[in-house]
DNA sequence: CGCTATTGTTTCGGTTTTGTTACACGAGTC
DNA sequence: GACTCGTGTAACAAAACCGAAACAATAGCG
């Protein structure tokens, strides 16, 4: 990643333009915003490789913006380098703990800053997707598309997999057949509601050898629910 | 990585013991050395997860020790955090450029230091462009573009090689045909998705004599995956 | 230029998956 | 207890999907 798209979030025009200048010198594609709101908008549009963000923003703490980004599936992989006044030494710790890739104190030493930016971009993305969804003995590896129950791999048909994953990620909630069709089947598919029953049954019989079939619960008159408690 | 094995390389007893104390407080397994020579020996024996190394060593520049480590296949993955007197501002840049994972200036702010150590350990190993990629009996030499299975060299066509290497370096992940086309074929090439099937098949038949064809797994409805576990 | 290795396409056939339907069962209600 | 509605179960047929193989196009090489 030699040339990157970088977003600077800093309310202070002076340091913002100083940073922007240094990065543009190196050929990076730089955008600038002054608060968290416009930063989020810019992130959605530009999908930058790196966000350089000050800890003190007018509308939201920089660390909270960071948490927001790390919490979203879509932008979790984006690198984030936080900055802050050197006097506020707590910021370093809280920024790094919240998942910042690096931190640079102000006033900025441009040589160091650029070296750290480079290092950030060179590194493989850190905060990768959350892989596993778990419930009791059941584990679903969403990246490897694998399901294991009590350590044994269980092979599921595609639709069974999607159904189980959906129910597992939304435990303790009842879904009507119609709702399940909406979420697990294609939105426009015209499939009879009894189809859901059949798939629930198939899932149950697959989970039965491990005594996990009870987690798929029928709610008479309403639909189905996944829950560990009876 | 909550508890780590950490090696401190610093000629100055004071800062060395200060650092060691802070790390031990957190429960890490800490060793100490004072120069590059004993550091290399210690690295070989202890295989630490992280080396904290000062830039000014009596027998060798800290940055050169870093380069040595990064140059070896065996220890490339070790994290390295460099330290140096804050006045010597060049050190930051040269350390990061040489592949340090992070840098902290002295005098050390212990809170910041520990947060940065944590961040280092949390991150996936960075400098992993190792010469060899391995999985089970399969070894891919990325420099010599050679593949051996159980000691026997296997000759692969270019595309087969790229496909195998890609899947091997991303084990246990399912890739759709589209994704594979994106990664293994050229980004804009308009190639039919079934082409992937054919290449998977060819790879399988090449691996079959060594009973490794099972590692290339079909995930019905989703794509393919390389995995050592069935 | 001609040969060969590589690469992509297509077709065919078998298997798995999937939705439907028919029927049995069982809980709740009167 | 009998009736009814909703659900469980099993069998079946259609559709989707993948593996295998044959074939065509292309590139590389002498």
């Amino acid at each position: 990643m030699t040339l990157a798209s970088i977003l600077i979030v800093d309310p202070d025009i002076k340091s913002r333009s100083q940073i922007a200048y240094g990065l543009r010198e190196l050929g990076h594609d730089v955008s600038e915003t002054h608060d968290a709101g416009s930063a989020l908008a810019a992130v959605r549009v530009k999908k930058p490789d790196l966000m350089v963000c000050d800890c003190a923003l007018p509308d939201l703490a920089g660390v909270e913006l960071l948490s927001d980004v790390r919490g979203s599936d879509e932008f979790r992989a984006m690198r984030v380098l936080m900055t802050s006044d050197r006097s506020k030494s707590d910021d370093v710790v809280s920024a790094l703990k919240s998942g910042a890739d690096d931190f640079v104190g102000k006033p900025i030493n441009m040589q160091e800053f650029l070296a750290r930016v480079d290092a950030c971009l060179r590194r493989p993305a850190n905060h990768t997707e959350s892989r596993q969804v778990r419930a009791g003995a059941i584990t679903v590896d969403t990246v490897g598309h694998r399901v294991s129950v009590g350590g044994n791999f269980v092979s599921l048909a595609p639709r069974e997999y999607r159904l189980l994953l959906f129910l597992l990620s939304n435990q303790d909630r009842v879904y009507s057949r119609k709702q399940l069709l909406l979420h697990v089947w294609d939105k426009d598919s015209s499939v009879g509601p009894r189809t859901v029953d059949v798939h629930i049954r198939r899932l149950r019989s697959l989970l039965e050898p491990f005594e996990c079939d009870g987690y798929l619960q029928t709610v008479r008159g309403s639909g189905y629910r996944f829950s560990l408690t009876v």
Side-chain angles (χ1 to χ4, degrees), chain A:
Chain A
M1 179 105 53
T2 327
L3 252 63
S5 156
I6 301 178
L7 172 69
I8 305 172
V9 189
D10 198 318
D12 176 38
I13 301 188
K14 263 203 163 171
S15 57
R16 205 171 67 210
S17 52
Q18 182 204 2
I19 294 172
Y21 178 80
L23 291 172
R24 289 211 176 93
E25 282 281 285
L26 292 182
H28 295 299
D29 170 23
V30 180
S31 338
E32 311 178 29
T33 61
H34 58 95
D35 62 7
S38 44
L40 279 172
V43 164
R44 254 184 282 277
V45 176
K46 306 270 298 183
K47 298 180 192 298
D49 304 299
L50 168 71
M51 176 169 81
V52 177
C53 176
D54 195 81
C55 284
L57 301 181
D59 52 345
L60 194 70
V63 172
E64 300 203 40
L65 174 57
L66 170 60
S67 302
D68 271 15
V69 167
R70 288 283 181 256
S72 88
D73 275 350
E74 204 177 345
F75 304 115
R76 186 172 300 143
M78 183 173 69
R79 276 72 153 180
V80 178
L81 190 156
M82 302 292 287
T83 64
S84 159
D85 198 305
R86 223 178 263 281
S87 59
K88 305 204 62 186
S89 67
D90 297 353
D91 284 348
V92 200
V93 179
S94 60
L96 289 174
K97 284 222 157 84
S98 306
D101 290 278
D102 204 344
F103 180 96
V104 176
K106 291 180 180 180
I108 286 181
N109 172 331
M110 192 48 72
Q111 294 309 310
E112 169 179 355
F113 175 77
L114 293 177
R116 286 190 183 272
V117 165
D118 252 17
C120 271
L121 293 173
R122 216 182 313 134
R123 279 199 281 266
N126 183 4
H127 312 274
T128 52
E129 329 87 279
S130 61
R131 272 184 80 116
Q132 305 215 322
V133 182
R134 232 173 277 196
I138 306 176
T139 305
V140 179
D141 180 341
T142 56
V143 177
H145 274 236
R146 283 218 257 208
V147 178
S148 67
V149 186
N152 309 88
F153 283 119
V154 178
S155 96
L156 300 187
R159 183 119 300 148
E160 289 158 10
Y161 174 83
R162 287 179 61 182
L163 179 57
L164 179 65
L165 181 57
F166 177 77
L167 289 173
L168 217 62
S169 340
N170 303 7
Q171 293 179 46
D172 293 304
R173 298 174 61 108
V174 177
Y175 288 94
S176 68
R177 294 174 172 72
K178 200 176 267 182
Q179 287 177 309
L180 288 174
L181 286 176
L182 222 70
H183 284 113
V184 178
W185 276 254
D186 294 323
K187 291 223 164 72
D188 52 349
S189 81
S190 57
V191 174
R194 297 302 311 279
T195 298
V196 176
D197 299 32
V198 177
H199 281 273
I200 290 281
R201 157 153 165 62
R202 287 175 182 156
L203 266 183
R204 279 190 184 139
S205 64
L206 285 166
L207 297 177
E208 200 192 341
F210 310 97
E211 295 175 8
C212 289
D213 51 318
Y215 300 157
L216 289 170
Q217 300 167 357
T218 306
V219 181
R220 212 181 157 77
S222 299
Y224 295 96
R225 164 184 59 200
F226 185 101
S227 176
L228 293 177
T229 59
V230 192

